[in-house]
Amino acid sequence: MCVILEGGEDEKRVGLIGGVFVPPPNFAAVEDFCIYRSGFPQPSNFPFIQSLNLRSIIYLCPEPYPEENKEFLRLNKVKLFQFGMEGTKEPSAIPRSAITEALKVLIDVRNHPVLIHCKRGKHRTGCLVGCLRKLQNWRLSSVLEEYKHFAGVKWRESDIRFLDEYDASCIRYSLQSIIYRYYGSRKRRLLYGGEESVQKPRITSGKEISSRNQPTKEKRSDNSLPNRLMLFFRMKLLKKRRKIHLCCLLTNGR
């Protein structure tokens, strides 16, 4: 089940309390400037949440959202997506269909910046983030390491089993996933000056450094979906121009 709450027209804003931004518990950036995770935000966290300029919140608990939080979302024009999941240790408590639907909302760039939260930002939030990491082709060991980092000593074997068995390929070729991957690669190119992938720095020898500084021919791939679409529209425009030019020649010939 998904509940969507859209922001109202009221332009009021919640003020800063005590001059200090207080983040929700277990807060962290999953992806800088677009995807965040945390525990349940309290009113004291509203100024910090407001500073993130969120477009949407993904709420993973079955309990109704507090009216005070709803009002804050209305004032700041933030959408609420609710996917009710029970916070028990039973493996069946995490419905795959709900996780998949939440993942589709999460990777939809129209909803960014987005905050994911449950009660404590550990188990349900950790499972959704772990499924996102599998979609991003992370190794399972890295996925589980991140999950355990936020879950702490209370990590659950049922969650580990769920992450191990979840198949992210069911949405890998969905429209949201294709746009998300293109948007992410484009953003990385802007941030890192054309590098397609970012690797950890390593110690290199003088020979490697000298050879790396030599100019190399840049390789470009024209087989991506945006390039094919651009080529298609360019060809249509060229044909239209030729048709107009031919009509002008026929008219002048008369």
Side-chain angles (χ1 to χ4, degrees):
M1 176 183 179
C2 174
V3 179
I4 303 177
L5 174 68
E6 299 209 17
E9 297 298 325
D10 196 339
E11 294 298 327
K12 289 177 124 181
R13 293 290 183 268
V14 177
L16 186 63
I17 301 175
V20 179
F21 287 117
V22 181
N26 233 3
F27 176 84
V30 179
E31 287 193 10
D32 290 338
F33 310 115
C34 61
I35 301 178
Y36 306 95
R37 60 178 293 169
S38 75
F40 203 100
Q42 301 299 321
S44 59
N45 308 131
F46 288 171
F48 178 86
I49 298 297
Q50 189 180 32
S51 70
L52 300 177
N53 297 316
L54 296 178
R55 285 186 181 177
S56 54
I57 284 180
I58 297 177
Y59 175 49
L60 302 176
C61 300
E63 295 80 13
Y65 216 56
E67 288 299 325
E68 191 172 9
N69 291 54
K70 282 185 179 181
E71 182 62 20
F72 171 75
L73 298 189
R74 288 193 187 96
L75 294 177
N76 291 275
K77 298 182 179 180
V78 179
K79 291 182 180 180
L80 175 66
F81 297 88
Q82 182 173 359
F83 299 89
M85 303 179 193
E86 297 293 338
T88 66
K89 298 181 181 180
E90 296 297 327
S92 58
I94 306 176
R96 294 177 184 273
S97 59
I99 283 286
T100 300
E101 291 303 313
L103 193 55
K104 289 180 181 179
V105 172
L106 179 60
I107 64 176
D108 192 334
V109 295
R110 295 172 297 181
N111 298 323
H112 295 174
V114 57
L115 171 69
I116 317 161
H117 78 80
C118 49
K119 286 292 186 183
R120 297 178 178 84
K122 295 182 178 181
H123 304 110
R124 286 166 282 193
T125 300
C127 286
L128 180 56
V129 172
C131 293
L132 172 67
R133 298 308 192 192
K134 294 192 75 172
L135 184 64
Q136 295 173 331
N137 295 321
W138 278 35
R139 292 181 179 177
L140 181 61
S141 58
S142 300
V143 173
L144 301 183
E145 182 182 356
E146 183 182 41
Y147 165 82
K148 291 181 177 180
H149 172 76
F150 287 95
V153 296
K154 294 187 177 181
W155 63 271
R156 295 172 178 170
E157 188 65 37
S158 58
D159 292 346
I160 297 295
R161 190 159 57 251
F162 175 84
L163 290 173
D164 183 22
E165 296 174 354
Y166 184 80
D167 184 10
S169 64
C170 58
I171 65 169
R172 189 175 301 278
Y173 300 105
S174 66
L175 181 60
Q176 295 97 325
S177 179
I178 293 172
I179 295 174
Y180 169 75
R181 281 179 286 165
Y182 169 69
Y183 177 81
S185 63
R186 180 175 179 271
K187 183 174 65 175
R188 284 193 293 273
R189 287 197 296 271
L190 293 174
L191 287 175
Y192 301 108
E195 293 291 335
E196 287 294 337
S197 61
V198 181
Q199 299 180 352
K200 294 181 180 179
R202 60 187 181 90
I203 300 175
T204 56
S205 63
K207 184 182 293 185
E208 289 177 329
I209 294 175
S210 60
S211 62
R212 188 181 301 168
N213 291 333
Q214 294 179 358
T216 57
K217 186 177 181 180
E218 183 181 0
K219 295 182 179 179
R220 297 183 61 184
S221 175
D222 294 328
N223 294 324
S224 63
L225 178 62
N227 286 336
R228 292 201 302 271
L229 288 174
M230 188 178 298
L231 180 60
F232 173 74
F233 286 116
R234 281 180 178 174
M235 293 298 295
K236 287 193 67 176
L237 181 60
L238 183 60
K239 288 180 180 179
K240 189 174 182 180
R241 286 179 176 174
R242 286 177 177 173
K243 187 175 181 180
I244 294 173
H245 182 64
L246 181 60
C247 291
C248 291
L249 289 176
L250 293 174
T251 304
N252 294 334
R254 292 178 184 176

